[in-house]
Amino acid sequence: MAEQKIFAGPRIRRVRNSKGLTQTAMAEGLGISPSYLNLIERNQRPLTVQLILKLASVYKIDPEELQAQSGGSIATLKEVFADPLLAGELPGDQELIEIAEAAPNASAAMVKLFRAYREQAERLSDLTELLAREGRATALSGARLPIDEVRETFERRANHFPGIEEEVSAFHALFEPAEDLIVALKAWLKREHGIVVRVLPVATMPNWRRRYDRHSQRLFISERLSPFDQLREIAMEACLLRMNVAVAGEIQALKLSSDEARRLARFEIGRYAAHALMMPYQAFLAAAQRSRYDIDVLRSRFGVSFEQAANRLTTLQKPGSAGVPFFMLEVDNAGNRFRRAGAQGFPQSRFGGGCPKLAVHAAFTQPGQILVEAVEMPDGAEFLTIARTLEGPQGAFSERPRRTAILLGCDIGFRDEIVYSAALASASPSRGDKPGHVPAIPIGPACRLCERSGCLARAEPPVTRPLGLDEMVTGLSAFDFR
């Protein structure tokens, strides 16, 4: 015990207050000065062995209680303050320790309140989504973070910006047809704005993808990025400089509520413009139609990544010159959603995108492979889906690489126009399938909104049905419902 320093100031203070003692009275009982007791209560002095024994003798305090740790409560408080609404409110763990030590009951109540808030937020989100699927508008959603507002805004609208496409077309006309785009962009930045592009090693720029130094007029790009992503970062910078007025107009039209949301939207529109510059609309549409939307053919022809080509497919909705209306979503292996977009808006009400049976989750077991499936919603709507993993920025040997997966989908009615439909299993007449019919995998919008019974993949019970708790019968699903 003598080798371990014990700081238990808040516990000593609670004992003193519970007995109605002043610091002077308690200090007298312990044989120490009031000033020394004050330092102990503020955790500026540790308890000595002699003082612990005195506390046990005079105030009948169990010495084990003085050594009890509050690690569990600190861990739960960290969970609370990790929420995006509270992130950055505390400078470090020391304040959490002080809260847990000084007011353990209040800390426990705070954790209960936070968990109740989170559960209610999830239920409210489910209810809002359910009402939206039924075509009923709702104003139940509470305050949103800027990133949530931007995501929802982009998901609802078609992933096509005609004004940006026109500006990009005029910008692209400045370059020679056979000129390498990255060389042309570097030359344009230098000529028009005096900006020099440099690729920096990880040791010099460990935390950024791209950084523009206004003082030295240099644009720094991380060597962690693939050549395709380096090109996109340079194209983004060039487009935001060249099309500043057009981009500002598009942001204003979105009617976002905060400067932070507008800043995030500027980034998204900048990336859209970069893709449009790397894959000019008419040339890309013509190549897509000739190749029957073969993404690997398109990525090779335009010198882009799989993700960039797939993303561009969702933007081909120019009136009078439109392609297949694809939609897409990107998730990581923990199920976190990064973005959803669609040629006509992401089909949330028809498709959902939250089903664990979707191939986008299975793609992580087969990195780099393209998985093609036909899926069927409970209402009979069918979709063709294409899933594949994506590699993020290159990590060092000691780092775990970032890997996400993308799902590209469209209505099954477009299957004859798409090369990937050849991967779907043919119908079997012996099973009674109709000739030419593609057997589809039954999925749902999300577990809490899905009423498919006996689903082995179910992770949560539906909010629309009561649980069926029958001791005599147990279903295949982890959550039986009536």
Side-chain angles (χ1 to χ4, degrees):
M1 187 180 298
E3 296 178 357
Q4 180 183 2
K5 289 186 177 181
I6 300 174
F7 293 89
R11 296 190 186 96
I12 301 299
R13 187 185 305 116
R14 287 200 299 274
V15 170
R16 179 173 61 78
N17 290 335
S18 67
K19 296 183 180 297
L21 299 174
T22 63
Q23 283 189 339
T24 301
M26 188 175 200
E28 184 178 348
L30 295 174
I32 59 176
S33 67
S35 61
Y36 185 63
L37 178 59
N38 181 267
L39 292 173
I40 290 175
E41 288 191 358
R42 288 189 292 153
N43 273 348
Q44 294 184 7
R45 293 291 186 276
L47 294 176
T48 63
V49 175
Q50 293 79 5
L51 194 53
I52 291 174
L53 294 175
K54 193 76 171 179
L55 284 164
S57 173
V58 177
Y59 298 108
K60 310 303 180 186
I61 298 175
D62 186 353
E64 294 295 329
E65 292 182 4
L66 298 175
Q67 301 181 72
Q69 300 297 314
S70 56
S73 59
I74 293 171
T76 52
L77 282 174
K78 282 185 178 180
E79 176 188 356
V80 173
F81 284 95
D83 186 271
L85 284 172
L86 301 176
E89 293 293 332
L90 297 181
D93 292 345
Q94 182 57 40
E95 196 166 341
L96 287 180
I97 295 172
E98 292 174 1
I99 293 172
E101 290 282 356
N105 294 332
S107 299
M110 187 188 303
V111 171
K112 287 181 181 179
L113 187 62
F114 168 74
R115 289 177 174 169
Y117 145 76
R118 189 170 59 182
E119 175 66 20
Q120 290 302 316
E122 290 175 356
R123 289 181 178 273
L124 186 61
S125 176
D126 293 335
L127 180 58
T128 303
E129 189 173 330
L130 180 62
L131 292 173
R133 283 172 52 78
E134 296 177 353
R136 297 160 60 187
T138 175
L140 293 175
S141 58
R144 296 171 296 172
L145 294 175
I147 184 64
D148 297 324
E149 181 185 5
V150 172
R151 281 176 173 173
E152 291 172 14
T153 300
F154 277 86
E155 288 169 10
R156 285 196 303 266
R157 57 156 291 144
N159 192 24
H160 181 74
F161 293 86
I164 297 297
E165 294 285 356
E166 291 180 10
E167 291 284 340
V168 167
S169 180
F171 190 17
H172 193 271
L174 299 177
F175 309 128
E176 296 294 331
E179 191 174 10
D180 185 78
L181 183 59
I182 194 168
V183 174
L185 286 172
K186 288 180 178 179
W188 183 86
L189 286 169
K190 176 64 175 176
R191 182 177 65 253
E192 299 295 330
H193 297 276
I195 297 174
V196 176
V197 179
R198 288 191 58 193
V199 177
L200 293 186
V202 176
T204 305
M205 197 166 73
N207 300 321
W208 299 307
R209 299 168 61 93
R210 166 174 57 103
R211 185 173 75 87
Y212 173 51
D213 187 340
R214 290 183 174 85
H215 300 290
S216 64
Q217 290 288 86
R218 288 183 295 179
L219 176 63
F220 300 120
I221 306 294
S222 173
E223 69 174 1
R224 286 177 180 262
L225 303 181
S226 68
F228 315 116
D229 288 341
Q230 289 183 18
L231 171 58
R232 178 166 59 189
E233 296 298 325
I234 297 171
M236 278 183 62
E237 191 69 32
C239 287
L240 291 173
L241 287 171
R242 162 86 182 187
M243 297 178 280
N244 187 47
V245 175
V247 171
E250 295 289 354
I251 294 172
Q252 184 176 5
L254 294 176
K255 298 181 179 179
L256 300 169
S257 63
S258 67
D259 290 338
E260 179 69 9
R262 286 185 280 272
R263 186 188 68 82
L264 294 169
R266 177 178 169 83
F267 176 85
E268 291 296 330
I269 295 175
R271 182 166 60 178
Y272 178 99
H275 287 162
L277 186 62
M278 296 160 65
M279 296 163 276
Y281 190 97
Q282 292 300 335
F284 188 81
L285 175 61
Q289 292 173 335
R290 284 196 301 269
S291 66
R292 300 183 64 214
Y293 298 92
D294 190 321
I295 300 174
D296 283 316
V297 170
L298 294 171
R299 66 186 292 200
S300 297
R301 185 163 303 170
F302 289 88
V304 296
S305 68
F306 187 95
E307 176 266 332
Q308 291 166 354
N311 201 325
R312 185 60 167 149
L313 286 177
T314 69
T315 68
L316 303 180
Q317 288 299 293
K318 183 178 180 180
S321 182
V324 169
F326 285 102
F327 60 86
M328 61 166 281
L329 65 87
E330 183 181 355
V331 300
D332 65 10
N333 56 2
N336 298 307
R337 171 175 59 88
F338 287 92
R339 64 180 186 272
R340 295 188 295 194
Q344 300 170 348
F346 186 79
Q348 178 69 23
S349 60
R350 297 178 59 225
F351 182 72
C355 182
K357 294 164 69 175
L358 288 172
V360 69
H361 304 293
F364 291 102
T365 65
Q366 303 176 61
Q369 300 298 309
I370 295 177
L371 306 182
V372 181
E373 289 181 347
V375 297
E376 181 182 12
M377 298 296 293
D379 63 0
E382 293 188 27
F383 299 89
L384 171 67
T385 64
I386 306 144
R388 184 189 185 276
T389 55
L390 307 174
E391 299 297 332
Q394 182 61 47
F397 174 75
S398 59
E399 295 176 318
R400 178 170 294 175
R402 175 181 181 268
R403 178 173 290 157
T404 60
I406 190 173
L407 181 139
L408 196 68
C410 68
D411 192 278
I412 197 69
F414 294 97
R415 64 187 176 192
D416 292 337
E417 301 179 41
I418 302 171
V419 67
Y420 300 104
S421 60
L424 299 177
S426 300
S428 173
S430 62
R431 292 185 350 193
D433 291 331
K434 297 178 181 179
H437 177 74
V438 179
I441 296 173
I443 66 167
C447 289
R448 286 200 172 197
L449 303 175
C450 180
E451 296 184 358
R452 289 191 185 276
S453 59
C455 177
L456 299 178
R458 180 173 289 280
E460 293 179 302
V463 295
T464 55
R465 294 290 188 91
L467 285 176
L469 303 177
D470 190 338
E471 295 182 0
M472 307 301 293
V473 180
T474 302
L476 292 174
S477 171
F479 300 95
D480 297 331
F481 56 88
R482 297 196 295 269

